Each structure stands twice: as structure tokens, then as C-alpha cells.
Amino acid sequence: MSLELSLNLATVRMQWKLPQAVEAAARHGFSGVAPWREMVQETGITESARIFKANGMRVTGYCRGGLFGAGGRSNFQAAIDDNARMIDEAAAIEAEGIVVIGGGLAPGSRNLADARAMFVEGLAAVLPHARACRIPLALEPMHPMYAADRGCITTLREMLDIADTLGNDGLGIAIDTYHVWWDPQLRLQAARAGKRIIAHHICDWLVPTKHMLTDRGMMGDGVIDFPAIRQIVEAAGYHGIQEVEIFSDYWWGRPGDEVLATAVERFKRVCQEPG
Amino acid sequence: MSLELSLNLATVRMQWKLPQAVEAAARHGFSGVAPWREMVQETGITESARIFKANGMRVTGYCRGGLFGAGGRSNFQAAIDDNARMIDEAAAIEAEGIVVIGGGLAPGSRNLADARAMFVEGLAAVLPHARACRIPLALEPMHPMYAADRGCITTLREMLDIADTLGNDGLGIAIDTYHVWWDPQLRLQAARAGKRIIAHHICDWLVPTKHMLTDRGMMGDGVIDFPAIRQIVEAAGYHGIQEVEIFSDYWWGRPGDEVLATAVERFKRVCQEPG
């Protein structure tokens, strides 16, 4: 009996390469995986697609696109081209979408408005190809602590404004608990997102957080109220699969099977909507 | 010739106690200081007041009040009483205001809404005393990465909503570049704040940031566009003093005079409105 749970493969990237990680996910009852591009490229696209199929795994998201302005204006077209290739790869592995993030400031830049404008411009440039390939782009707002170096689009509200500006067709929204749990507008903006929500990632916020990137928490070990956020997401109209994605030096240092068993147990115990 | 610059004494708290820090601030041309309560209590309130006066220093803010819900419901009244005492102390040292922050989640709580509600309730409880003492409460939204353990009120918008709810009388807004620089609504909400802005703190965001609390940057060493934010603050109607407040293991390890000389030089070179 498989769970409505997907495994973002970054969660066990230090333990396993793609083939082993996917087999382990299947063994632990996950019904999907979300692979990162480096892992797919290492294994090969055709072989990766075969592995997903052989293990009966959905591919809930391909990580990660966007970041259009992060290389500056001189690398802008290259970023667009790279996102277009990524769409082809996503189609080849039959991914249900691509996770797209804002990207940080261009080297030497202090202009967030520029970074944001380039993100919108880049997105507009690749969107026709994404639509043609029927690969939805799941726009993921990132926690504001990543605004400078990873995700210049930090709030659901801002991501939805961008999706509205571009007409929404071919675009969706990814809600990651780690990135949005603090947002006083979470309920309001999730309701606004409605059926546009196409991904729900789960990961806990630890107190204290010892490293900004690699000290994310297993569900239940931190302060995020997962049932409350699931309720918000379901009320908005998304009843689909959840995806566990944890960047953690601690969990990367544990046996992969322990990580997956823990994630499954916590998902069942901590992450369900109440009632 | 003194500068329109105040020194938050936490910036040199590892190097100096209050008397030495205030004398150093005067020597380097600062026209104000913002002391922390522990430092004032260590030196004594009457003696601290004398030192500020003797050095011709404004007391631009007394740090820091609020945090009403951080101890949970059982400590709520104690937090209110403590804030009331802090208002008396602020009056005694002739502080121009008290910096007030949201505080984190109660121990064991995952309910940010509760923390936020207790903040508003506590603020309402101390506000009559603050008004009677003519000590403005400078409400400071904190970076969302502190939502769990320090500042459950994370955006200018939310702080302004709270100030509106409580009628604004006796309340002001503190804008700290470190906390708000990422906010896509910064310009809009600062304009909404208008004359309610009574404090403008400066501190840079380093890339990478190695520690969430103690790796803040000297102006110019990070990615914050200080002239742009100063322009936003001035356009909103605040033309007053800026206050440098840097929590930094690096700068705490440097000689205090070097820290102040650097802050003054950077303030002159990096933090002015263009044109």
C-alpha cells in the first residue's frame, strides 16, 4: 500500500545515487520521487526514466529551474536556454512539473528589483515551450533568508502576482512549509492560489537553526504546525501528494533506510489534516 | 561636528561596558546611542542617565521591549509588568522611545497566531502607561528567520496593521534594514507608515550569512542597497537620525575604536540618499 508521499531525492543525496534512492523510496512505500537534475544527468535521462517506471514511481517534480537573473544580464539568455532544455528533460522523464525558484542577485548586484524583473522576463521567455511540452512550472516562493543568494521571490503573494501577470496558463504554485510557515498572509494567499497549488513540500523549521541551508528538520522535530498548513492547502483545493524534502547535515549522516523510515512514520503521525 | 548617527551599544558590547562605549561614541562623532537594558542596569539607571547627558548623547532607543507571548500564558502578566518597568526606566534615562519586538513562540508551542495575538494583547496592556510617560513604543518587524524564537511579527505590513488596530497613539515604527530589505512591499508599506517611522536602523546582510544572529554585516560589506532604503524612508517622511546596530562575532572581535571608525566611514560613504 503506497503512501500519498513523494521523496525529494536531495533528502538522501549523500547516501544514494538515483537508482538506489528510487528503489529505497519504493521499498518504504513512497508513491513518488522528485529528482534533482544532477542526479538524473549522472544516471542518464533514459535510464532514469526507466528506473522511475520500473519502480512504479510518479515523478512529482523535477528540481530545479528558474534562477534567470542569478548570473546577471550577460548570462540571461544562457539561463533561458538551460531552462528550455530542462523542460525537455522533464518531458523525457515524465515529470509532473518543474520546481522553479527566483534565484539570487546577480554577481555584485544589490538590486533585488532587477533580479525580480529578470525572473519574470525569463519565465515569460520559457513559458511557451513549457506549455507546448505540457510541463507545468511550479513556482516556489523561498524563505526571505534566501533572497540574496537563492530565491529573490520570497512570498506567495509575490509569486501569485507574477503568475497573474503571465496569465497563469502553464504555471502552478509550489508551497513548501519551510519557506512559507512564517507568512502572516499564508492562509489568505493560499486561498487565492486555489487550484493553482500543484505541489506541497514538507520540512520542519528547527529552533535553533544552525545553518541556513543544511539544518532543515524532519517533520515533528521543529515548530511547524503541519496539520494546520495541510488544512490551509486542502481548503484551497489541493488534496494531492505531499513531498518530503529535507536538506540536513544530520539526516545526510544517517543510514538512508533510517531517514526514509523516519519520514514515513512522521508523515503518518505529524502531517495529516486534523479530523 | 556630530553625525546624524546613533550607536546601538550592542555593536560593541563585547569590547566595552556602557560608560566606555558612550564616551567612545562621542569621541567618534556619534550624536546618539541606543543602550540595552542589561548594560543600563549594570551601570545603574541614574549613572547611565548622567553619562548620556555628560557626553551630549541623545538616547535614540532603549532595547528592547515587547516579547509578550514568548514565555507563554503563565508568564504573560509578568511580561506586561516588565515592559511597564522598562517604560519607567526609559523615562529615567530620557530615551526617545523603546524598541519593541514580537517575541517568539511560547515554549512548546507551534502556534504563531497565538504568539501574535498575545503580542497585540500585551501591547494594548502597556500602551496607556507608555502614553502617560510619553515614551513612544517603536514597533520593529523582524526578519522572518526569527519568527520562531525572537520576532513573531515579521513584516512592516503586519506591524502597521497592529498599530492601526491599537489606534497608533503612542506607537511608532522602527525600520531596520537587516529585517526588511527583502520585503517586496517595503516601499508601499514604508509610505503607509509615513510619519509613524521613528527609527531607522542600519546593518548589512552578508552573503553567505554564517550565523543567523551573530553574522550581521557592516554597511557596505553585504548586499543591502542603503541609499535606496534611505530614499524610501525619507520619501515616507522620516529624515531623522540613523542607528547602526550590528551583531557580529567578527566585529565583536575587533578593537572598539576600529569598529566605530569603520561604522562612521561607511555611514558617510555608503548610507546617504543619492543626490
Side-chain angles (χ1 to χ4, degrees):
Chain A
M1 180 59 193
S2 71
L3 298 157
E4 278 296 283
L5 186 61
S6 175
L7 175 68
N8 187 298
L9 299 187
T11 309
V12 287
R13 74 178 180 200
M14 298 302 183
Q15 293 93 334
W16 287 319
K17 294 184 185 299
L18 185 142
Q20 294 76 33
V22 174
E23 281 158 27
R27 193 164 67 239
H28 284 270
F30 289 79
S31 55
V33 293
W36 284 62
R37 202 175 182 192
E38 309 84 88
M39 298 175 86
V40 168
Q41 288 174 339
E42 182 187 47
T43 298
I45 290 172
T46 308
E47 175 64 4
S48 297
R50 190 196 65 73
I51 290 168
F52 299 139
K53 271 223 168 67
N55 286 278
M57 289 283 117
R58 294 171 55 181
V59 181
T60 59
Y62 190 36
C63 299
R64 58 185 186 179
L67 303 107
F68 295 103
R73 187 54 69 175
S74 61
N75 292 300
F76 182 55
Q77 187 57 48
I80 291 169
D81 296 343
D82 198 50
N83 271 271
R85 277 192 299 276
M86 195 174 172
I87 290 166
D88 296 332
E89 295 166 20
I93 60 171
E94 296 185 32
E96 297 170 19
I98 292 178
V99 176
V100 168
I101 63 173
L105 295 164
S109 169
R110 293 188 170 91
N111 196 325
L112 261 183
D114 267 2
R116 287 163 175 164
M118 286 176 75
F119 175 73
V120 177
E121 189 182 340
L123 202 51
V126 298
L127 195 46
H129 187 55
R131 288 173 182 151
C133 297
R134 299 183 184 280
I135 298 293
L137 305 181
L139 308 179
E140 183 173 60
M142 295 191 81
H143 194 285
M145 72 181 172
Y146 300 123
D149 50 0
R150 258 179 199 84
C152 62
I153 315 294
T154 53
T155 64
L156 260 177
R157 178 187 172 128
E158 195 179 9
M159 221 33 130
L160 287 165
D161 287 347
I162 290 168
D164 282 345
T165 301
L166 296 177
N168 290 302
D169 179 23
L171 298 174
I173 294 289
I175 291 186
D176 185 318
T177 57
Y178 192 79
H179 294 308
V180 305
W181 75 278
W182 62 273
D183 187 348
Q185 293 223 314
L186 175 57
R187 182 177 295 275
L188 182 70
Q189 297 299 328
R192 175 185 165 204
K195 295 283 187 190
R196 287 180 280 181
I197 300 172
I198 58 175
H200 177 190
H201 301 171
I202 51 177
C203 171
D204 213 341
W205 181 277
L206 299 179
V207 178
T209 293
K210 286 173 284 187
H211 189 281
M212 279 201 192
L213 187 61
T214 61
D215 192 31
R216 300 188 188 178
M218 183 64 72
M219 299 79 73
D221 289 342
V223 298
I224 292 180
D225 184 344
F226 289 94
I229 295 182
R230 184 63 184 176
Q231 192 277 327
I232 286 170
V233 166
E234 294 202 356
Y238 179 83
H239 300 270
I241 198 165
Q242 295 181 54
E243 174 187 319
V244 57
E245 178 186 27
I246 303 174
F247 293 0
S248 162
D249 291 324
Y250 173 78
W251 290 106
W252 284 329
R254 306 300 307 169
D257 281 305
E258 177 189 331
V259 177
L260 298 202
T262 306
V264 165
E265 190 272 326
R266 299 294 180 86
F267 172 70
K268 289 178 179 169
R269 186 159 58 81
V270 175
C271 301
Q272 310 304 314
E273 193 194 0
Chain B
M1 178 57 191
S2 70
L3 296 158
E4 278 295 285
L5 185 61
S6 174
L7 175 67
N8 187 297
L9 298 187
T11 309
V12 286
R13 73 179 181 200
M14 299 301 182
Q15 293 93 335
W16 287 318
K17 294 183 184 298
L18 185 143
Q20 294 76 35
V22 175
E23 281 158 27
R27 195 165 65 239
H28 283 271
F30 289 79
S31 53
V33 293
W36 284 63
R37 204 176 180 192
E38 311 83 90
M39 299 176 84
V40 167
Q41 288 174 339
E42 183 187 46
T43 298
I45 291 172
T46 309
E47 175 63 5
S48 296
R50 190 195 66 72
I51 290 167
F52 299 140
K53 271 223 169 67
N55 285 278
M57 287 284 116
R58 294 171 56 182
V59 181
T60 59
Y62 189 36
C63 300
R64 59 186 185 178
L67 303 107
F68 296 103
R73 185 55 68 176
S74 60
N75 292 299
F76 183 53
Q77 186 58 48
I80 291 169
D81 296 343
D82 198 49
N83 271 270
R85 276 192 299 277
M86 197 176 170
I87 290 166
D88 296 331
E89 295 165 19
I93 60 171
E94 296 183 33
E96 297 171 17
I98 292 178
V99 176
V100 167
I101 64 173
L105 295 164
S109 169
R110 292 188 171 92
N111 195 325
L112 261 185
D114 267 2
R116 288 163 174 163
M118 287 178 75
F119 175 73
V120 177
E121 191 183 338
L123 202 51
V126 299
L127 196 45
H129 187 55
R131 288 173 181 149
C133 296
R134 299 183 182 281
I135 297 292
L137 304 181
L139 308 179
E140 183 172 61
M142 293 190 83
H143 194 285
M145 73 181 171
Y146 299 123
D149 52 359
R150 259 178 199 85
C152 61
I153 316 294
T154 52
T155 63
L156 259 178
R157 179 188 172 128
E158 196 180 7
M159 223 29 133
L160 287 165
D161 287 347
I162 290 169
D164 282 346
T165 300
L166 297 176
N168 289 301
D169 180 22
L171 299 173
I173 293 290
I175 291 185
D176 185 316
T177 57
Y178 192 79
H179 295 307
V180 305
W181 75 277
W182 61 273
D183 187 349
Q185 292 223 317
L186 175 57
R187 182 177 295 275
L188 184 68
Q189 298 299 329
R192 174 184 165 206
K195 294 285 188 188
R196 287 181 282 180
I197 301 172
I198 57 175
H200 177 190
H201 301 171
I202 51 177
C203 171
D204 213 340
W205 181 277
L206 299 179
V207 178
T209 292
K210 285 173 282 187
H211 188 282
M212 279 201 191
L213 187 61
T214 60
D215 193 32
R216 300 187 187 179
M218 183 64 71
M219 300 81 73
D221 288 343
V223 298
I224 293 180
D225 185 343
F226 289 94
I229 295 184
R230 184 64 185 175
Q231 192 276 328
I232 286 171
V233 167
E234 294 203 355
Y238 179 83
H239 298 273
I241 198 165
Q242 296 180 54
E243 175 186 319
V244 57
E245 179 185 27
I246 304 173
F247 293 2
S248 162
D249 290 325
Y250 174 77
W251 289 106
W252 285 329
R254 305 300 305 170
D257 281 305
E258 177 189 330
V259 178
L260 298 202
T262 306
V264 164
E265 188 273 327
R266 297 294 179 85
F267 173 71
K268 289 178 179 168
R269 184 159 60 80
V270 175
C271 300
Q272 310 304 315
E273 193 196 0

